[in-house]
């Protein structure tokens, strides 16, 4: 179990915790390190050390705090996760998609696409500081229902109670709530918590209403505005009962405005998993156009990708060849296309148009003959692109003429 857990942690990569050990340094004495971890886990003497807190920027400009366990702690958490996951999977709701085997964000998005064609109203929910507010008492209550093994509960309790070491080197204790966003086992525990807090509750109270949940991102579909308001009020009460709170500024009721539907004064757009759902031109199989309601990459996601491109300043990399630039970006570009190109792929055109414009700027800086002529650099670039269509990932994936 420890060996298989280590291989999964190694595959997922990631940085080390507060002990300063990276995956590569941990692996130098791998046999002894894994033996020591196995010995402590089997004897009950394994105690996690503090979780390293790091801040990463969110799209709205604020900071998200992640908890990074040590490499050894990640392996230990992976052992328990592997031990429990199949058991929990038999209980989880089919409309829960986040961090589950054989489930994906694209499946969640496709389900929302299907639902908005049938229901005209959506509750777009955001739970305020979810991972920081999870009640240990309620979580342990849910765990006791499915985990009779005392050794498993012992280790989970130790992880829940382990302190956080902030960026200012201060130790902060949890005081009965929170699970670090960044821990290996945290998504599994979060899914179990919300399974009882939300999934089972909504199924019992409003069995006719479809919903889609990806971790703590939740969409509920309703038939009328009045029903949406009633259900949202009930959800707010339910969250308060479970020591959670909805983020009022990010939770909203949206009208899925389609052909011949009036939507005076109502919000008609919501974002989910990096995509925007809103009224969009659509076509029937015989080519007739109509106003539908569908998703494409959101503007905030597009801005983030553009920011990633701009932050590299690769148009100034005159010391690199165009092949080296392609090698640097191709894996990243394929990730963008694979995720954001799933629905309405052509919406990525503006992103790659800007990317190619920066390649032209790179050519002007690298080659003296183009330094004073944008037109000459552009002509050279488009000839080069036509003759080397497989060089960049977006060129060989249909973005050759953007």
């Amino acid at each position: 179990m420890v060996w298989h857990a280590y291989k999964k942690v190694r595959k997922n990569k990631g940085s080390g915790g507060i002990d300063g050990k990276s995956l590569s340094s941990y692996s130098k004495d791998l046999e002894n390190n894994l033996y020591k971890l196995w010995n402590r886990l089997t004897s009950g003497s394994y105690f996690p050390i503090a979780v390293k807190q790091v801040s990463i920027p969110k799209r709205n400009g604020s900071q998200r705090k992640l908890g990074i366990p040590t490499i050894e702690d990640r392996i230990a958490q992976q052992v328990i996760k592997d031990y429990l996951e199949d058991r929990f999977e038999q209980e989880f709701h089919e409309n829960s998609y986040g961090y589950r085997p054989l489930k994906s964000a694209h499946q969640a998005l496709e389900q929302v696409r299907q639902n908005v064609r049938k229901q005209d109203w959506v509750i777009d929910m955001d739970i305020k500081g979810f991972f920081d507010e999870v009640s240990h008492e309620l979580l342990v209550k849910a765990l006791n229902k499915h985990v009779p093994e005392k050794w498993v509960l012992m280790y989970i309790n130790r992880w829940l109670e382990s302190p956080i070491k902030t960026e200012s080197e201060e130790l902060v204790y949890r005081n009965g709530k929170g699970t670090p966003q960044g821990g290996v086992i945290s998504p599994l525990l979060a899914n179990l918590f919300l399974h009882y807090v939300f999934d089972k509750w909504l199924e019992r109270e409003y069995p006719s209403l479809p919903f889609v949940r990806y971790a703590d991102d939740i969409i509920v579909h309703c038939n009328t505005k009045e029903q949406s308001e009633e259900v949202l009020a009930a959800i707010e009460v339910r969250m308060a009962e479970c020591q959670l709170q909805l983020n009022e500024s990010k939770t909203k009721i949206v009208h899925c405005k389609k052909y011949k539907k009036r939507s005076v004064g109502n919000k008609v757009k919501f974002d989910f998993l990096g995509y925007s759902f809103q009224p969009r031109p659509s076509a029937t199989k015989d080519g007739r156009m109509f106003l539908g309601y569908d998703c494409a990459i959101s503007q905030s996601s597009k801005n983030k990708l553009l920011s990633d491109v701009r932050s590299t300043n690769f148009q100034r990399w005159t010391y690199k060849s165009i092949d080296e630039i392609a090698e640097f970006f191709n894996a990243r570009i394929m990730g963008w296309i694979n995720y954001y190109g799933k629905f309405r792929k052509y919406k990525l055109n503006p992103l790659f148009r800007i990317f190619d414009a920066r390649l032209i700027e790179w050519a002007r800086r690298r080659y003296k003959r183009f330094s004073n002529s944008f037109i000459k650099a552009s002509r050279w670039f488009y000839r080069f692109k036509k003759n080397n269509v497989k060089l960049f990932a977006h060129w060989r994936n249909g973005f050759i003429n953007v």
Side-chain angles (χ1 to χ4, degrees):
M1 291 166 70
V2 171
W3 172 243
H4 286 301
Y6 163 74
K7 288 196 291 185
K8 289 183 179 180
V9 168
R10 183 182 61 188
K11 183 179 179 181
N12 291 331
K13 300 180 181 179
S15 60
I18 65 169
D19 62 353
K21 284 186 179 179
S22 64
L23 264 171
S24 58
S25 63
Y26 187 87
S27 301
K28 286 179 181 177
D29 192 18
L30 184 61
E31 186 174 354
N32 286 330
N33 285 333
L34 293 184
Y35 176 80
K36 181 176 70 173
L37 176 59
W38 166 80
N39 195 300
R40 290 178 176 177
L41 284 172
T42 53
S43 64
S45 61
Y46 177 78
F47 285 87
I49 61 176
V51 173
K52 177 183 177 182
Q53 188 180 82
V54 296
S55 298
I56 60 171
K58 296 171 71 173
R59 291 175 184 172
N60 61 7
S62 61
Q63 297 285 318
R64 173 182 282 117
K65 296 188 184 301
L66 295 183
I68 310 298
T70 63
I71 300 299
E72 187 171 74
D73 207 19
R74 284 164 58 191
I75 298 169
Q77 289 187 32
Q78 188 70 53
V79 169
I80 304 299
K81 181 188 176 187
D82 290 346
Y83 186 73
L84 294 177
E85 193 164 48
D86 288 344
R87 189 185 312 181
F88 287 2
E89 277 297 310
Q90 296 176 30
E91 303 294 331
F92 288 160
H93 199 284
E94 63 179 356
N95 291 341
S96 166
Y97 292 87
Y99 308 109
R100 294 180 59 189
L102 306 180
K103 295 271 192 175
S104 71
H106 284 157
Q107 290 175 330
L109 288 161
E110 179 58 38
Q111 189 59 58
V112 173
R113 293 179 76 223
Q114 297 298 324
N115 291 344
V116 296
R117 293 169 187 170
K118 301 170 187 174
Q119 275 83 20
D120 285 344
W121 293 86
V122 153
I123 303 171
D124 177 17
M125 290 171 41
D126 183 85
I127 301 175
K128 190 174 182 179
F130 170 70
F131 282 91
D132 295 328
E133 298 297 328
V134 170
S135 165
H136 292 180
E137 180 186 357
L138 295 178
L139 178 56
V140 170
K141 185 178 178 181
L143 284 165
N144 285 332
K145 187 176 176 67
H146 301 286
V147 185
E149 298 93 338
K150 291 182 179 179
W151 66 274
V152 175
L153 295 173
M154 177 184 69
Y155 284 128
I156 291 176
N157 273 305
R158 288 179 185 176
W159 283 314
L160 291 175
E161 293 167 1
S162 62
I164 299 166
K165 193 168 189 179
T166 65
E167 292 166 290
S168 60
E169 301 293 312
E170 180 187 359
L171 277 181
V172 177
Y173 291 85
R174 300 185 194 279
N175 297 321
K177 65 179 184 179
T179 178
Q181 189 174 359
V184 172
I185 202 168
S186 293
L188 184 65
L189 298 179
N191 269 335
L192 180 68
F193 189 79
L194 284 174
H195 174 72
Y196 286 106
V197 169
F198 184 80
D199 302 355
K200 295 288 285 184
W201 173 84
L202 191 73
E203 186 179 52
R204 183 181 70 245
E205 299 295 324
Y206 299 95
S208 64
L209 295 186
F211 73 93
V212 173
R213 181 173 68 79
Y214 193 94
D216 59 329
D217 290 330
I218 306 172
I219 302 294
V220 180
H221 301 268
C222 299
N223 296 306
T224 65
K225 184 178 182 180
E226 293 71 25
Q227 186 184 48
S228 303
E229 291 169 345
E230 174 198 332
V231 173
L232 179 55
I235 291 172
E236 288 174 338
V237 172
R238 174 62 177 174
M239 291 295 169
E241 290 173 349
C242 300
Q243 303 175 39
L244 294 175
Q245 182 182 354
L246 295 184
N247 189 328
E248 291 184 8
S249 63
K250 296 182 180 179
T251 298
K252 57 184 179 289
I253 293 173
V254 178
H255 182 212
C256 305
K257 183 182 182 301
K258 300 183 275 288
Y259 177 60
K260 289 187 177 179
K261 301 283 185 181
R262 297 190 65 189
S263 186
V264 179
N266 294 310
K267 293 184 172 122
V268 296
K269 171 185 171 182
F270 67 94
D271 288 358
F272 183 57
L273 301 180
Y275 279 76
S276 279
F277 285 81
Q278 64 189 69
R280 298 182 187 276
S282 302
T284 60
K285 291 182 179 179
D286 58 2
R288 287 181 296 171
M289 299 299 295
F290 68 97
L291 183 65
Y293 197 90
D294 206 352
C295 68
I297 181 174
S298 69
Q299 188 59 50
S300 60
S301 297
K302 203 179 297 182
N303 290 342
K304 183 179 182 299
L305 300 187
L306 285 171
S307 178
D308 288 347
V309 169
R310 288 171 179 143
S311 67
T312 64
N313 269 327
F314 74 88
Q315 72 275 12
R316 297 178 180 272
W317 294 356
T318 53
Y319 54 90
K320 286 184 180 289
S321 68
I322 196 168
D323 297 86
E324 290 174 313
I325 294 175
E327 184 180 356
F328 178 86
F329 277 106
N330 273 345
R332 196 180 307 190
I333 291 171
M334 276 310 304
W336 299 343
I337 295 172
N338 288 341
Y339 187 75
Y340 293 109
K342 177 67 174 178
F343 306 105
R344 294 184 180 247
K345 182 178 175 181
Y346 67 90
K347 289 291 185 178
L348 290 171
N349 283 347
L351 169 66
F352 292 126
R353 195 174 295 123
I354 291 172
F355 187 93
D356 284 0
R358 293 201 161 217
L359 283 175
I360 295 174
E361 181 61 25
W362 167 85
R364 290 187 65 193
R365 291 171 182 269
R366 181 175 171 90
Y367 302 113
K368 288 184 178 180
R369 65 184 185 274
F370 299 143
S371 59
N372 294 319
S373 177
F374 177 81
I375 293 175
K376 287 182 179 179
S378 298
R379 286 173 178 167
W380 170 84
F381 174 75
Y382 288 113
R383 284 197 305 271
F384 179 87
K385 182 160 72 165
K386 185 177 179 180
N387 295 326
N388 298 271
V389 71
K390 293 185 178 181
L391 181 59
F392 281 90
H394 62 294
W395 295 355
R396 60 176 179 260
N397 277 275
F399 295 93
I400 186 70
N401 294 316
V402 296

